Every structure is written in structure tokens, then in C-alpha cells.
Amino acid sequence: MYKTINANTLEALTKIDTPSICNAIEGFDVRPRTEGFMSADIRSQLPSLPAVAGYAVTAMISAKSPHGPQASRDDWWDFIMSVPAPRFVVIQDIDDPAFGAYWGENNSNIHKALGCVGVATNGTVRDLDEVRPLGFQLFSPNVAPSHGYVHLVDVGKPVTVGGLTVHPGDLMHGDKHGVTSIPFEIADELPAMVKTIADYEALNIELCQSDNFSLEKLKELAKATRPY
């Protein structure tokens, strides 16, 4: 049985940028600040698209050879549908270096129809112009023109992408800044914490943009309790 959060909260999270989500998580001090998000090389290849949030569906792929272990697409699709929607695909490419793109126009259409909002992979993606109108987010280090012998190796197991280990059902969030996981125990409280932090930062920004700015006023304002 997978955990879920309130649908209204999940929708609210898609209106918040990922840096603000990360700031808010820090405000609860539930994990080290060096953990919980993917490394900077896992970036949106479609940065004009809005933030997405969903529950992780996980798989491993390889493209170097047509031989070796292979998982069934039917099993993959069945597994996807066993996880609550909306779904956030996380694909670990076990090739080193990764080169064959599993993700492009065809898979984006299929997985959007299966209730997925985007994919994060340490592999490659392609067909950017065709995927962009779908509103389907693509997070990866690189793009590639060919899929090689790409195939599923395993599905529904923990995977590691961008240094982050993701389990099926984990709550994920991503936008043009990158991808983070969200601890379930604080998820419903995140929108309120985001507002608290935004209000705090607004005071600094207002002062810095004011004609009345002074170093003394900045130092005085900095004495206020930082919420994160």
C-alpha cells in the first residue's frame, strides 16, 4: 500500500518552484541539507514547462546490447498503474556512460496516457520539440539522437539517479531547477512553510530595492529569526 497526500496539497505543490520546496523542507529539519535531491546534472531539458509533482514509478534500463536481462513492457505498465496517480517516472540507466535514449515522443505519449507527469533519468532523452507541447517534463544530463538497443532491465525496485535513491511511491517534485524528493511526514505542511519563508525573504528584498536601503537597516533586519 503506497502513501499519498491530500490531492489539494499535491496540486498546490505544482504551483511552487523546486528551490522553494527545498527551502521549506529545510525549515522542518527532517533530513540533512545535503540529501534528498538529485545532483545538478539532472536538469530539465524543457525548462519552460511548469513544476510537476507525483509518486515515483521506477525502472532500470540498458542500451549497449540486445542481450542480457530484460523486463516486460506489460509488467512495467502494470506496475505503473499500481502506483497512485499522478506518477513521476524515475529511470536508472545502468550503462556507463549512458547513450541510448529510452525516452522520446512515443514513450512520453504512452506514459502521459498512463497518468505520468514527467521522467527523471541519468540516461538520455530525445524528441524535445515533439514532447514540449505535451507538457511532459524531461529531466536528464544529456540528449541523444538514437535509442541503441535500449530496453527495460528491471521494474518496481529502488533506483539511484543523480545520487538520490528513489523507492516506488516516493513523493517527487521537479522543475527547471532540478528534482527533489519530499518527505511524506511534512508534505501537507509545505505550502504554509513556503509562504512563511517567502514573507521573510520579501522583507529583505523590499529593503534591498528601497531608496531607503542602508547597511545598518540590513543588519537590523538580519537579526530576525530565519525560518529555515
PDB file of all heavy atoms in Angstrom, residues 195-226:
ATOM      1  N   LYS A 195       5.108  29.841   2.260  1.00  0.00           N
ATOM      2  CA  LYS A 195       4.621  31.214   2.441  1.00  0.00           C
ATOM      3  C   LYS A 195       5.369  31.931   3.562  1.00  0.00           C
ATOM      4  O   LYS A 195       5.727  33.112   3.433  1.00  0.00           O
ATOM      5  CB  LYS A 195       3.125  31.221   2.738  1.00  0.00           C
ATOM      6  CG  LYS A 195       2.539  32.634   2.833  1.00  0.00           C
ATOM      7  CD  LYS A 195       1.065  32.624   3.110  1.00  0.00           C
ATOM      8  CE  LYS A 195       0.499  34.050   3.073  1.00  0.00           C
ATOM      9  NZ  LYS A 195       1.229  34.991   3.955  1.00  0.00           N
ATOM     10  N   THR A 196       5.628  31.223   4.654  1.00  0.00           N
ATOM     11  CA  THR A 196       6.363  31.823   5.769  1.00  0.00           C
ATOM     12  C   THR A 196       7.740  32.289   5.320  1.00  0.00           C
ATOM     13  O   THR A 196       8.180  33.404   5.643  1.00  0.00           O
ATOM     14  CB  THR A 196       6.504  30.807   6.919  1.00  0.00           C
ATOM     15  OG1 THR A 196       5.203  30.490   7.423  1.00  0.00           O
ATOM     16  CG2 THR A 196       7.359  31.369   8.044  1.00  0.00           C
ATOM     17  N   ILE A 197       8.416  31.449   4.559  1.00  0.00           N
ATOM     18  CA  ILE A 197       9.756  31.793   4.080  1.00  0.00           C
ATOM     19  C   ILE A 197       9.689  32.932   3.063  1.00  0.00           C
ATOM     20  O   ILE A 197      10.519  33.855   3.081  1.00  0.00           O
ATOM     21  CB  ILE A 197      10.438  30.554   3.476  1.00  0.00           C
ATOM     22  CG1 ILE A 197      10.712  29.529   4.582  1.00  0.00           C
ATOM     23  CG2 ILE A 197      11.732  30.935   2.760  1.00  0.00           C
ATOM     24  CD1 ILE A 197      11.211  28.195   4.073  1.00  0.00           C
ATOM     25  N   ALA A 198       8.693  32.891   2.186  1.00  0.00           N
ATOM     26  CA  ALA A 198       8.546  33.957   1.187  1.00  0.00           C
ATOM     27  C   ALA A 198       8.302  35.303   1.863  1.00  0.00           C
ATOM     28  O   ALA A 198       8.855  36.334   1.445  1.00  0.00           O
ATOM     29  CB  ALA A 198       7.407  33.623   0.233  1.00  0.00           C
ATOM     30  N   ASP A 199       7.486  35.308   2.920  1.00  0.00           N
ATOM     31  CA  ASP A 199       7.225  36.554   3.650  1.00  0.00           C
ATOM     32  C   ASP A 199       8.502  37.073   4.299  1.00  0.00           C
ATOM     33  O   ASP A 199       8.766  38.286   4.303  1.00  0.00           O
ATOM     34  CB  ASP A 199       6.153  36.323   4.715  1.00  0.00           C
ATOM     35  CG  ASP A 199       4.771  36.082   4.117  1.00  0.00           C
ATOM     36  OD1 ASP A 199       4.584  36.372   2.922  1.00  0.00           O
ATOM     37  OD2 ASP A 199       3.892  35.586   4.853  1.00  0.00           O
ATOM     38  N   TYR A 200       9.293  36.154   4.847  1.00  0.00           N
ATOM     39  CA  TYR A 200      10.563  36.536   5.472  1.00  0.00           C
ATOM     40  C   TYR A 200      11.516  37.133   4.437  1.00  0.00           C
ATOM     41  O   TYR A 200      12.114  38.195   4.659  1.00  0.00           O
ATOM     42  CB  TYR A 200      11.190  35.309   6.136  1.00  0.00           C
ATOM     43  CG  TYR A 200      12.634  35.477   6.535  1.00  0.00           C
ATOM     44  CD1 TYR A 200      12.980  36.138   7.709  1.00  0.00           C
ATOM     45  CD2 TYR A 200      13.660  34.975   5.731  1.00  0.00           C
ATOM     46  CE1 TYR A 200      14.308  36.293   8.076  1.00  0.00           C
ATOM     47  CE2 TYR A 200      14.990  35.128   6.093  1.00  0.00           C
ATOM     48  CZ  TYR A 200      15.309  35.788   7.263  1.00  0.00           C
ATOM     49  OH  TYR A 200      16.622  35.950   7.615  1.00  0.00           O
ATOM     50  N   GLU A 201      11.648  36.463   3.309  1.00  0.00           N
ATOM     51  CA  GLU A 201      12.574  36.939   2.283  1.00  0.00           C
ATOM     52  C   GLU A 201      12.084  38.234   1.636  1.00  0.00           C
ATOM     53  O   GLU A 201      12.891  39.053   1.190  1.00  0.00           O
ATOM     54  CB  GLU A 201      12.780  35.856   1.230  1.00  0.00           C
ATOM     55  CG  GLU A 201      13.522  34.638   1.771  1.00  0.00           C
ATOM     56  CD  GLU A 201      13.810  33.603   0.701  1.00  0.00           C
ATOM     57  OE1 GLU A 201      13.153  33.649  -0.364  1.00  0.00           O
ATOM     58  OE2 GLU A 201      14.695  32.752   0.925  1.00  0.00           O
ATOM     59  N   ALA A 202      10.761  38.420   1.599  1.00  0.00           N
ATOM     60  CA  ALA A 202      10.210  39.635   0.994  1.00  0.00           C
ATOM     61  C   ALA A 202      10.659  40.884   1.741  1.00  0.00           C
ATOM     62  O   ALA A 202      10.859  41.950   1.132  1.00  0.00           O
ATOM     63  CB  ALA A 202       8.689  39.558   0.960  1.00  0.00           C
ATOM     64  N   LEU A 203      10.834  40.772   3.050  1.00  0.00           N
ATOM     65  CA  LEU A 203      11.306  41.915   3.831  1.00  0.00           C
ATOM     66  C   LEU A 203      12.716  42.313   3.404  1.00  0.00           C
ATOM     67  O   LEU A 203      13.025  43.503   3.258  1.00  0.00           O
ATOM     68  CB  LEU A 203      11.283  41.576   5.322  1.00  0.00           C
ATOM     69  CG  LEU A 203       9.909  41.298   5.938  1.00  0.00           C
ATOM     70  CD1 LEU A 203      10.058  40.853   7.387  1.00  0.00           C
ATOM     71  CD2 LEU A 203       9.016  42.534   5.842  1.00  0.00           C
ATOM     72  N   ASN A 204      13.572  41.316   3.196  1.00  0.00           N
ATOM     73  CA  ASN A 204      14.932  41.598   2.737  1.00  0.00           C
ATOM     74  C   ASN A 204      14.937  42.204   1.341  1.00  0.00           C
ATOM     75  O   ASN A 204      15.646  43.178   1.067  1.00  0.00           O
ATOM     76  CB  ASN A 204      15.759  40.309   2.736  1.00  0.00           C
ATOM     77  CG  ASN A 204      16.062  39.797   4.123  1.00  0.00           C
ATOM     78  OD1 ASN A 204      16.739  40.457   4.902  1.00  0.00           O
ATOM     79  ND2 ASN A 204      15.556  38.626   4.445  1.00  0.00           N
ATOM     80  N   ILE A 205      14.141  41.615   0.461  1.00  0.00           N
ATOM     81  CA  ILE A 205      14.108  42.084  -0.922  1.00  0.00           C
ATOM     82  C   ILE A 205      13.560  43.505  -0.994  1.00  0.00           C
ATOM     83  O   ILE A 205      14.090  44.368  -1.719  1.00  0.00           O
ATOM     84  CB  ILE A 205      13.266  41.118  -1.779  1.00  0.00           C
ATOM     85  CG1 ILE A 205      13.968  39.755  -1.858  1.00  0.00           C
ATOM     86  CG2 ILE A 205      13.026  41.693  -3.172  1.00  0.00           C
ATOM     87  CD1 ILE A 205      13.117  38.656  -2.453  1.00  0.00           C
ATOM     88  N   GLU A 206      12.496  43.755  -0.223  1.00  0.00           N
ATOM     89  CA  GLU A 206      11.906  45.096  -0.220  1.00  0.00           C
ATOM     90  C   GLU A 206      12.915  46.139   0.244  1.00  0.00           C
ATOM     91  O   GLU A 206      13.032  47.222  -0.352  1.00  0.00           O
ATOM     92  CB  GLU A 206      10.676  45.117   0.689  1.00  0.00           C
ATOM     93  CG  GLU A 206       9.975  46.467   0.731  1.00  0.00           C
ATOM     94  CD  GLU A 206       8.754  46.467   1.636  1.00  0.00           C
ATOM     95  OE1 GLU A 206       8.512  45.441   2.301  1.00  0.00           O
ATOM     96  OE2 GLU A 206       8.059  47.492   1.689  1.00  0.00           O
ATOM     97  N   LEU A 207      13.657  45.815   1.293  1.00  0.00           N
ATOM     98  CA  LEU A 207      14.666  46.753   1.787  1.00  0.00           C
ATOM     99  C   LEU A 207      15.763  46.971   0.755  1.00  0.00           C
ATOM    100  O   LEU A 207      16.165  48.110   0.482  1.00  0.00           O
ATOM    101  CB  LEU A 207      15.271  46.231   3.088  1.00  0.00           C
ATOM    102  CG  LEU A 207      16.450  47.050   3.641  1.00  0.00           C
ATOM    103  CD1 LEU A 207      16.002  48.474   3.976  1.00  0.00           C
ATOM    104  CD2 LEU A 207      17.059  46.374   4.866  1.00  0.00           C
ATOM    105  N   CYS A 208      16.251  45.885   0.158  1.00  0.00           N
ATOM    106  CA  CYS A 208      17.365  45.993  -0.794  1.00  0.00           C
ATOM    107  C   CYS A 208      16.979  46.775  -2.041  1.00  0.00           C
ATOM    108  O   CYS A 208      17.841  47.386  -2.683  1.00  0.00           O
ATOM    109  CB  CYS A 208      17.855  44.599  -1.174  1.00  0.00           C
ATOM    110  SG  CYS A 208      18.686  43.735   0.178  1.00  0.00           S
ATOM    111  N   GLN A 209      15.700  46.782  -2.387  1.00  0.00           N
ATOM    112  CA  GLN A 209      15.241  47.511  -3.571  1.00  0.00           C
ATOM    113  C   GLN A 209      14.721  48.905  -3.227  1.00  0.00           C
ATOM    114  O   GLN A 209      14.294  49.646  -4.114  1.00  0.00           O
ATOM    115  CB  GLN A 209      14.153  46.703  -4.285  1.00  0.00           C
ATOM    116  CG  GLN A 209      14.659  45.387  -4.864  1.00  0.00           C
ATOM    117  CD  GLN A 209      13.586  44.599  -5.594  1.00  0.00           C
ATOM    118  OE1 GLN A 209      12.407  44.970  -5.590  1.00  0.00           O
ATOM    119  NE2 GLN A 209      13.980  43.513  -6.236  1.00  0.00           N
ATOM    120  N   SER A 210      14.772  49.248  -1.957  1.00  0.00           N
ATOM    121  CA  SER A 210      14.233  50.527  -1.497  1.00  0.00           C
ATOM    122  C   SER A 210      15.256  51.650  -1.623  1.00  0.00           C
ATOM    123  O   SER A 210      16.471  51.434  -1.501  1.00  0.00           O
ATOM    124  CB  SER A 210      13.793  50.393  -0.038  1.00  0.00           C
ATOM    125  OG  SER A 210      13.516  51.657   0.523  1.00  0.00           O
ATOM    126  N   ASP A 211      14.757  52.862  -1.829  1.00  0.00           N
ATOM    127  CA  ASP A 211      15.626  54.043  -1.826  1.00  0.00           C
ATOM    128  C   ASP A 211      16.165  54.322  -0.428  1.00  0.00           C
ATOM    129  O   ASP A 211      17.125  55.083  -0.265  1.00  0.00           O
ATOM    130  CB  ASP A 211      14.855  55.267  -2.324  1.00  0.00           C
ATOM    131  CG  ASP A 211      14.483  55.159  -3.799  1.00  0.00           C
ATOM    132  OD1 ASP A 211      15.171  54.403  -4.523  1.00  0.00           O
ATOM    133  OD2 ASP A 211      13.509  55.809  -4.219  1.00  0.00           O
ATOM    134  N   ASN A 212      15.547  53.707   0.572  1.00  0.00           N
ATOM    135  CA  ASN A 212      15.958  53.923   1.961  1.00  0.00           C
ATOM    136  C   ASN A 212      16.912  52.837   2.460  1.00  0.00           C
ATOM    137  O   ASN A 212      17.127  52.707   3.665  1.00  0.00           O
ATOM    138  CB  ASN A 212      14.722  53.964   2.872  1.00  0.00           C
ATOM    139  CG  ASN A 212      13.821  55.139   2.558  1.00  0.00           C
ATOM    140  OD1 ASN A 212      14.293  56.246   2.305  1.00  0.00           O
ATOM    141  ND2 ASN A 212      12.510  54.892   2.555  1.00  0.00           N
ATOM    142  N   PHE A 213      17.467  52.061   1.536  1.00  0.00           N
ATOM    143  CA  PHE A 213      18.382  50.993   1.944  1.00  0.00           C
ATOM    144  C   PHE A 213      19.606  51.562   2.657  1.00  0.00           C
ATOM    145  O   PHE A 213      20.143  52.599   2.279  1.00  0.00           O
ATOM    146  CB  PHE A 213      18.852  50.200   0.725  1.00  0.00           C
ATOM    147  CG  PHE A 213      19.941  49.211   1.059  1.00  0.00           C
ATOM    148  CD1 PHE A 213      19.622  47.973   1.575  1.00  0.00           C
ATOM    149  CD2 PHE A 213      21.285  49.541   0.890  1.00  0.00           C
ATOM    150  CE1 PHE A 213      20.622  47.060   1.907  1.00  0.00           C
ATOM    151  CE2 PHE A 213      22.293  48.641   1.213  1.00  0.00           C
ATOM    152  CZ  PHE A 213      21.954  47.396   1.726  1.00  0.00           C
ATOM    153  N   SER A 214      20.022  50.843   3.693  1.00  0.00           N
ATOM    154  CA  SER A 214      21.289  51.154   4.354  1.00  0.00           C
ATOM    155  C   SER A 214      21.836  49.866   4.952  1.00  0.00           C
ATOM    156  O   SER A 214      21.078  48.927   5.238  1.00  0.00           O
ATOM    157  CB  SER A 214      21.104  52.199   5.461  1.00  0.00           C
ATOM    158  OG  SER A 214      20.392  51.643   6.555  1.00  0.00           O
ATOM    159  N   LEU A 215      23.131  49.824   5.143  1.00  0.00           N
ATOM    160  CA  LEU A 215      23.758  48.649   5.737  1.00  0.00           C
ATOM    161  C   LEU A 215      23.243  48.430   7.153  1.00  0.00           C
ATOM    162  O   LEU A 215      23.027  47.285   7.575  1.00  0.00           O
ATOM    163  CB  LEU A 215      25.278  48.816   5.748  1.00  0.00           C
ATOM    164  CG  LEU A 215      26.078  47.665   6.379  1.00  0.00           C
ATOM    165  CD1 LEU A 215      25.785  46.348   5.675  1.00  0.00           C
ATOM    166  CD2 LEU A 215      27.575  47.983   6.341  1.00  0.00           C
ATOM    167  N   GLU A 216      23.027  49.509   7.877  1.00  0.00           N
ATOM    168  CA  GLU A 216      22.539  49.390   9.250  1.00  0.00           C
ATOM    169  C   GLU A 216      21.156  48.733   9.284  1.00  0.00           C
ATOM    170  O   GLU A 216      20.884  47.868  10.127  1.00  0.00           O
ATOM    171  CB  GLU A 216      22.480  50.775   9.907  1.00  0.00           C
ATOM    172  CG  GLU A 216      23.842  51.396  10.196  1.00  0.00           C
ATOM    173  CD  GLU A 216      24.560  51.849   8.934  1.00  0.00           C
ATOM    174  OE1 GLU A 216      23.873  52.102   7.903  1.00  0.00           O
ATOM    175  OE2 GLU A 216      25.800  51.923   8.956  1.00  0.00           O
ATOM    176  N   LYS A 217      20.274  49.141   8.370  1.00  0.00           N
ATOM    177  CA  LYS A 217      18.941  48.547   8.319  1.00  0.00           C
ATOM    178  C   LYS A 217      19.012  47.071   7.925  1.00  0.00           C
ATOM    179  O   LYS A 217      18.256  46.244   8.434  1.00  0.00           O
ATOM    180  CB  LYS A 217      18.061  49.311   7.330  1.00  0.00           C
ATOM    181  CG  LYS A 217      17.675  50.705   7.797  1.00  0.00           C
ATOM    182  CD  LYS A 217      16.805  51.407   6.759  1.00  0.00           C
ATOM    183  CE  LYS A 217      16.420  52.808   7.235  1.00  0.00           C
ATOM    184  NZ  LYS A 217      15.594  53.520   6.220  1.00  0.00           N
ATOM    185  N   LEU A 218      19.927  46.746   7.021  1.00  0.00           N
ATOM    186  CA  LEU A 218      20.090  45.351   6.610  1.00  0.00           C
ATOM    187  C   LEU A 218      20.552  44.499   7.787  1.00  0.00           C
ATOM    188  O   LEU A 218      20.041  43.391   8.010  1.00  0.00           O
ATOM    189  CB  LEU A 218      21.094  45.257   5.464  1.00  0.00           C
ATOM    190  CG  LEU A 218      21.356  43.853   4.916  1.00  0.00           C
ATOM    191  CD1 LEU A 218      20.086  43.246   4.331  1.00  0.00           C
ATOM    192  CD2 LEU A 218      22.458  43.884   3.863  1.00  0.00           C
ATOM    193  N   LYS A 219      21.505  45.012   8.547  1.00  0.00           N
ATOM    194  CA  LYS A 219      21.994  44.270   9.710  1.00  0.00           C
ATOM    195  C   LYS A 219      20.888  44.084  10.742  1.00  0.00           C
ATOM    196  O   LYS A 219      20.772  43.023  11.362  1.00  0.00           O
ATOM    197  CB  LYS A 219      23.181  44.997  10.337  1.00  0.00           C
ATOM    198  CG  LYS A 219      24.455  44.933   9.512  1.00  0.00           C
ATOM    199  CD  LYS A 219      25.595  45.674  10.206  1.00  0.00           C
ATOM    200  CE  LYS A 219      26.887  45.567   9.417  1.00  0.00           C
ATOM    201  NZ  LYS A 219      28.002  46.311  10.069  1.00  0.00           N
ATOM    202  N   GLU A 220      20.078  45.103  10.928  1.00  0.00           N
ATOM    203  CA  GLU A 220      18.987  45.017  11.895  1.00  0.00           C
ATOM    204  C   GLU A 220      17.952  43.987  11.451  1.00  0.00           C
ATOM    205  O   GLU A 220      17.470  43.181  12.258  1.00  0.00           O
ATOM    206  CB  GLU A 220      18.329  46.393  12.057  1.00  0.00           C
ATOM    207  CG  GLU A 220      17.260  46.454  13.128  1.00  0.00           C
ATOM    208  CD  GLU A 220      17.795  46.178  14.523  1.00  0.00           C
ATOM    209  OE1 GLU A 220      18.986  46.468  14.778  1.00  0.00           O
ATOM    210  OE2 GLU A 220      17.018  45.662  15.354  1.00  0.00           O
ATOM    211  N   LEU A 221      17.631  44.004  10.175  1.00  0.00           N
ATOM    212  CA  LEU A 221      16.660  43.051   9.648  1.00  0.00           C
ATOM    213  C   LEU A 221      17.189  41.627   9.733  1.00  0.00           C
ATOM    214  O   LEU A 221      16.431  40.677   9.969  1.00  0.00           O
ATOM    215  CB  LEU A 221      16.324  43.402   8.196  1.00  0.00           C
ATOM    216  CG  LEU A 221      15.155  42.658   7.540  1.00  0.00           C
ATOM    217  CD1 LEU A 221      13.871  42.858   8.334  1.00  0.00           C
ATOM    218  CD2 LEU A 221      14.966  43.140   6.106  1.00  0.00           C
ATOM    219  N   ALA A 222      18.492  41.468   9.567  1.00  0.00           N
ATOM    220  CA  ALA A 222      19.103  40.138   9.599  1.00  0.00           C
ATOM    221  C   ALA A 222      19.035  39.498  10.979  1.00  0.00           C
ATOM    222  O   ALA A 222      19.241  38.286  11.117  1.00  0.00           O
ATOM    223  CB  ALA A 222      20.555  40.220   9.139  1.00  0.00           C
ATOM    224  N   LYS A 223      18.724  40.294  12.002  1.00  0.00           N
ATOM    225  CA  LYS A 223      18.603  39.751  13.353  1.00  0.00           C
ATOM    226  C   LYS A 223      17.301  38.977  13.545  1.00  0.00           C
ATOM    227  O   LYS A 223      17.146  38.260  14.535  1.00  0.00           O
ATOM    228  CB  LYS A 223      18.680  40.882  14.378  1.00  0.00           C
ATOM    229  CG  LYS A 223      20.028  41.592  14.425  1.00  0.00           C
ATOM    230  CD  LYS A 223      20.004  42.748  15.412  1.00  0.00           C
ATOM    231  CE  LYS A 223      21.329  43.502  15.413  1.00  0.00           C
ATOM    232  NZ  LYS A 223      21.294  44.664  16.347  1.00  0.00           N
ATOM    233  N   ALA A 224      16.365  39.143  12.614  1.00  0.00           N
ATOM    234  CA  ALA A 224      15.089  38.425  12.710  1.00  0.00           C
ATOM    235  C   ALA A 224      15.332  36.926  12.608  1.00  0.00           C
ATOM    236  O   ALA A 224      16.282  36.471  11.968  1.00  0.00           O
ATOM    237  CB  ALA A 224      14.146  38.884  11.604  1.00  0.00           C
ATOM    238  N   THR A 225      14.473  36.156  13.239  1.00  0.00           N
ATOM    239  CA  THR A 225      14.620  34.699  13.234  1.00  0.00           C
ATOM    240  C   THR A 225      14.402  34.149  11.834  1.00  0.00           C
ATOM    241  O   THR A 225      13.348  34.351  11.224  1.00  0.00           O
ATOM    242  CB  THR A 225      13.615  34.048  14.197  1.00  0.00           C
ATOM    243  OG1 THR A 225      13.834  34.565  15.505  1.00  0.00           O
ATOM    244  CG2 THR A 225      13.791  32.536  14.206  1.00  0.00           C
ATOM    245  N   ARG A 226      15.395  33.457  11.321  1.00  0.00           N
ATOM    246  CA  ARG A 226      15.308  32.859   9.986  1.00  0.00           C
ATOM    247  C   ARG A 226      14.480  31.574  10.064  1.00  0.00           C
ATOM    248  O   ARG A 226      14.772  30.697  10.882  1.00  0.00           O
ATOM    249  CB  ARG A 226      16.722  32.551   9.477  1.00  0.00           C
ATOM    250  CG  ARG A 226      16.810  31.968   8.087  1.00  0.00           C
ATOM    251  CD  ARG A 226      18.275  31.627   7.785  1.00  0.00           C
ATOM    252  NE  ARG A 226      18.437  30.913   6.539  1.00  0.00           N
ATOM    253  CZ  ARG A 226      18.802  31.469   5.392  1.00  0.00           C
ATOM    254  NH1 ARG A 226      19.034  32.766   5.348  1.00  0.00           N
ATOM    255  NH2 ARG A 226      18.946  30.747   4.299  1.00  0.00           N
TER     256      ARG A 226
END
